[in-house]
Amino acid sequence: MNFEAVLKDMPLLLNGVLITVVIAVGAIILGFLIGVLCAVVRIAPKTNPFIKVLDVIVRGYVTIIRGTPTLLQLLIVANILLIGIYNSSTNVVVPIVAFGLNSGAYMSEIIRSGFNSVPSGQMEAGRSLGLSWGQTVKSIIIPQAIKTVVPTIFNEIIVLFKETSVVSYVTIFMAGQQVYDLLGISDKRGMVTGNYLAYLCIAALIYLVIVMLLTQVQKFIERRMSKSDRH
Amino acid sequence: MIDIKNIYKYFGDVHVLKGLNFTIDKGEVIVVIGPSGCGKSTFLRCLNLLEEPTYGEIWLSGDLLTPVDPYLHVDVIKASKTYGKMLKDRLDSGEVLSEELEAEIVAIIKRDDLLKKNEGALYNRLIKEIEAEYRIDINLARRKMGMVFQQFNLFPHMTVRKNITFAPVKLGIMSEEDANKSAEELLAKVGLLDKIDEYPDMLSGGQKQRVAIVRALAMKPEIMLFDEPTSALDPEMVGEVLGVMTDLAKEGMTMVVVTHEMGFAKEVATKVVFIDDGVVQEEATPEEFFNSPKHPRLREFLSKVL
Ligand SMILES: Nc1ncnc2c1ncn2[C@@H]1O[C@H](COP(=O)(O)OP(=O)(O)O)[C@@H](O)[C@H]1O
Ligand SMILES: [Mg+2]
């Protein structure tokens, strides 16, 4: 194992890190937006047929995503987007959409359980003051739900971040469209230079450092929120 | 001020309210009592539609809060296809058209719950017309009805000040400045001005409930609904909350209070109401209610609680 050679290759690896981060951040943002929307649909009173239809769609979506392998979802999205619509050389759109859709289902369940953890009296108090359902959800329920969901959301973010490492192996089948994220580029350079294990170890170290950073951010946010509890 | 017309409330197979009628006039202090599980909370929550009645109508100062209940409108029943068919059958069999016949058919339709989903265009139009003329948005109606809960339900992520000012400011009823001034005045009245910048979890139960009352009052409601406001309190804190409620009654606030505090009922109520088996079984002034209860179930109930 020659670590020095790997360090000289750092610019390429850092470019891989950048792609990994772009995919993860994009997917987390997309997943969070989908998650919030789906969770709101799930808890909305089923008074009109439109909401009822949306609710059925959301439930189907969550069931399908949770019931099928992530890798398979990525392959399906890659096939639809790459062959059907998209055509670009560093194609991060495919993994962002695929992981975003995947994570959205999990986030929606997490956020929904957060909503449900807020006592029903809070909604009743808001409504009894004349606030609309939407106003109450936004100003009364969500701020309280956030506290309970932050740890679980961060777990989901960390899982998602690590899961993105399969993208280069998935996109390998899409001629000329392979995405070289951190693991992808390490794998490739390792093969080419014959210094395979060293490259993998360095990649592992970088993943580990980023996950530890995320954990620190999580701890910081949790500390700040528990402070506002103790007023 | 509030007209409760023939309210039914079903939770699946559980029939909680079964044709409850009641009228509340301005300035009245109504105390509602009854055995646990008899539907006192359900009744109170139907008034501001936290529970939607299964049938029946709620009217607030001439505004309709619920959807139209066709059974309460003779002209609507008469516009239905069912009525038309029944009338035609009777006329075909040789009866003559008369007010008595019409009234009889209407009564049968009411008794046997015969109206269906689709009763024709005329029927639908009549209902739409009534709703267009009388029905108001429930969010607007709720501004006029303050509610106080057994569990206080203060917003834990807001200071006392924010708890009180949030809704009036958000709904554009008051400027932030006016809302603050009003919050300070009301808090001073209940002796809690020094807590204005605290968060709810720093307050005792009695203090929380007084803040909850102030929060409801900040909307300048026309009527206040209380659902067992002292039941979750330690005994030594019951007095301070009842005191605030007594003051409020003296100022002329219209109030509906579900409570087990018989002392409050005797001294403050203008009328005491006994709910059992889904309807109002007895309503009377406190003297009459407690000194000569008529309904046997009420007598039994009073013998247990007094
Ligand atoms: N949301 C609900 N779903 C099903 N049953 C309910 C619901 N709310 C109340 N009930 C039932 O209705 C009955 C009356 O309840 P409630 O109005 O709370 O009584 P009270 O306030 O007089 O003690 C009880 O039997 C209760 O179990
Ligand atoms: Mg109750």
Side-chain angles (χ1 to χ4, degrees):
Chain A
M1 284 206 283
N2 182 352
F3 286 106
E4 250 170 65
V6 182
L7 291 180
K8 281 195 194 118
D9 228 2
M10 242 345 168
L12 267 178
L13 292 197
L14 286 180
N15 191 51
V17 170
L18 181 67
I19 289 177
T20 291
V21 169
V22 166
I23 292 170
V25 169
I28 287 161
I29 291 172
L30 181 63
F32 188 71
L33 292 178
I34 294 175
V36 170
L37 286 178
C38 290
V40 168
V41 168
R42 289 302 308 276
I43 64 157
K46 308 290 176 289
T47 40
N48 72 50
F50 180 64
I51 301 279
K52 276 186 201 155
V53 171
L54 280 182
D55 188 57
V56 170
I57 294 173
V58 167
R59 280 203 236 187
Y61 157 68
V62 172
T63 306
I64 290 169
I65 296 291
R66 298 219 299 183
T68 55
T70 310
L71 190 54
L72 180 59
Q73 294 161 16
L74 194 56
L75 282 168
I76 290 176
V77 173
N79 268 282
I80 295 172
L81 284 192
L82 278 185
I83 294 169
I85 316 162
Y86 212 79
N87 223 335
S88 146
S89 51
T90 52
N91 198 345
V92 293
V93 173
V94 169
I96 286 178
V97 170
F99 283 114
L101 284 172
N102 175 274
S103 184
Y106 292 99
M107 294 234 200
S108 85
E109 289 295 287
I110 295 168
I111 294 166
R112 186 168 73 102
S113 76
F115 283 156
N116 289 338
S117 74
V118 178
S120 60
Q122 292 291 307
M123 174 61 82
E124 292 175 358
R127 298 308 305 276
S128 77
L129 288 166
L131 298 169
S132 69
W133 185 83
Q135 286 169 328
T136 310
V137 167
K138 181 164 157 263
S139 305
I140 310 295
I141 308 297
I142 287 183
Q144 297 181 57
I146 283 178
K147 278 190 191 170
T148 64
V149 302
V150 161
T152 344
I153 291 272
F154 261 93
N155 286 342
E156 167 61 21
I157 288 174
I158 289 169
V159 168
L160 176 72
F161 174 73
K162 290 185 294 180
E163 270 186 348
T164 60
S165 61
V166 302
V167 291
S168 66
Y169 302 96
V170 172
T171 50
I172 210 165
F173 306 108
M174 316 294 161
Q177 304 283 350
Q178 192 170 4
V179 176
Y180 289 109
D181 69 329
L182 172 55
L183 181 53
I185 195 71
S186 307
D187 183 62
K188 183 180 172 192
R189 296 293 300 153
M191 296 274 211
V192 172
T193 60
N195 197 9
Y196 198 57
L197 194 55
Y199 271 92
L200 291 190
C201 288
I202 294 290
L205 190 66
I206 297 175
Y207 276 108
L208 184 64
V209 167
I210 295 178
V211 169
M212 284 165 69
L213 276 176
L214 280 172
T215 312
Q216 287 310 309
V217 174
Q218 172 181 2
K219 283 201 180 128
F220 174 73
I221 293 177
E222 283 175 25
R223 256 202 313 276
R224 274 200 44 178
M225 284 190 324
S226 71
K227 233 182 245 162
S228 79
D229 248 358
R230 265 185 278 116
H231 278 284
Chain B
M1 170 175 243
I2 295 193
D3 265 313
I4 300 135
K5 294 188 176 170
N6 210 30
I7 289 295
Y8 288 77
K9 178 63 189 181
Y10 301 163
F11 293 107
D13 285 342
V14 185
H15 295 194
V16 180
L17 303 179
K18 306 171 190 168
L20 188 150
N21 289 284
F22 198 68
T23 303
I24 300 160
D25 290 324
K26 197 169 158 53
E28 277 193 299
V29 178
I30 310 284
V31 167
V32 179
I33 67 170
S36 170
C38 73
K40 302 179 297 296
S41 298
T42 305
F43 164 71
L44 202 67
R45 293 154 57 84
C46 276
L47 296 185
N48 66 354
L49 259 59
L50 282 186
E51 301 290 356
E52 269 186 53
T54 314
Y55 301 108
E57 292 178 354
I58 310 271
W59 292 75
L60 171 67
S61 315
D63 295 323
L64 178 61
L65 307 192
T66 53
V68 165
D69 179 352
Y71 288 103
L72 293 175
H73 303 267
V74 172
D75 49 338
V76 173
I77 294 179
K78 283 185 175 174
S80 69
K81 279 186 189 165
T82 301
Y83 175 88
K85 226 176 286 158
M86 286 170 73
L87 184 63
K88 183 168 176 295
D89 287 350
R90 298 286 284 264
L91 296 180
D92 286 350
S93 68
E95 291 184 55
V96 277
L97 187 63
S98 69
E99 273 178 28
E100 287 76 35
L101 178 63
E102 291 184 346
E104 191 195 330
I105 296 174
V106 168
I108 292 171
I109 289 178
K110 278 191 188 177
R111 188 194 64 202
D112 297 341
D113 198 2
L114 294 179
L115 292 177
K116 296 192 255 335
K117 270 225 165 89
N118 179 15
E119 287 287 359
L122 181 60
Y123 171 92
N124 289 339
R125 208 187 66 209
L126 265 183
I127 288 182
K128 275 222 184 85
E129 276 174 12
I130 299 173
E131 297 204 340
E133 184 165 357
Y134 296 108
R135 191 158 174 207
I136 63 162
D137 178 26
I138 185 59
N139 292 327
L140 291 178
R142 285 189 182 130
R143 297 179 186 184
K144 303 182 197 168
M145 313 166 93
M147 189 164 210
V148 176
F149 303 86
Q150 184 176 345
Q151 299 297 339
F152 330 125
N153 297 345
L154 290 179
F155 306 133
H157 59 302
M158 296 179 177
T159 60
V160 166
R161 179 196 301 277
K162 197 75 192 284
N163 262 279
I164 298 167
T165 58
F166 180 74
V169 173
K170 181 91 181 174
L171 296 172
I173 294 168
M174 283 181 215
S175 68
E176 182 125 21
E177 198 183 330
D178 290 346
N180 268 316
K181 217 182 320 153
S182 149
E184 284 161 16
E185 279 167 20
L186 288 165
L187 279 175
K189 241 167 75 179
V190 302
L192 290 174
L193 186 53
D194 56 324
K195 304 289 184 199
I196 191 162
D197 290 314
E198 301 275 11
Y199 280 79
D201 47 345
M202 288 303 290
L203 307 179
S204 72
Q207 292 171 334
K208 281 183 193 165
Q209 196 60 301
R210 282 185 279 160
V211 170
I213 293 173
V214 166
R215 176 176 70 178
L217 289 175
M219 294 294 296
K220 304 206 183 311
E222 294 169 15
I223 180 166
M224 288 282 288
L225 313 174
F226 295 84
D227 191 358
E228 301 201 25
T230 58
S231 294
L233 297 179
D234 292 337
E236 74 270 19
M237 293 173 182
V238 169
E240 63 195 59
V241 172
L242 291 181
V244 169
M245 291 167 62
T246 306
D247 291 346
L248 202 54
K250 281 192 190 133
E251 286 167 23
M253 174 63 78
T254 311
M255 295 162 60
V256 184
V257 185
V258 174
T259 186
H260 297 295
E261 295 293 331
M262 296 302 153
F264 180 84
K266 281 180 187 163
E267 273 147 45
V268 185
T270 56
K271 198 189 271 175
V272 188
V273 171
F274 178 64
I275 293 183
D276 194 32
D277 204 19
V279 294
V280 171
Q281 301 284 5
E282 190 147 337
E283 55 173 288
T285 60
E287 297 85 61
E288 208 184 322
F289 189 92
F290 289 107
N291 295 335
S292 48
K294 290 175 199 70
H295 201 276
R297 295 279 276 281
L298 172 58
R299 274 192 231 136
E300 188 193 325
F301 178 77
L302 287 179
S303 73
K304 274 190 223 145
V305 296
L306 288 180

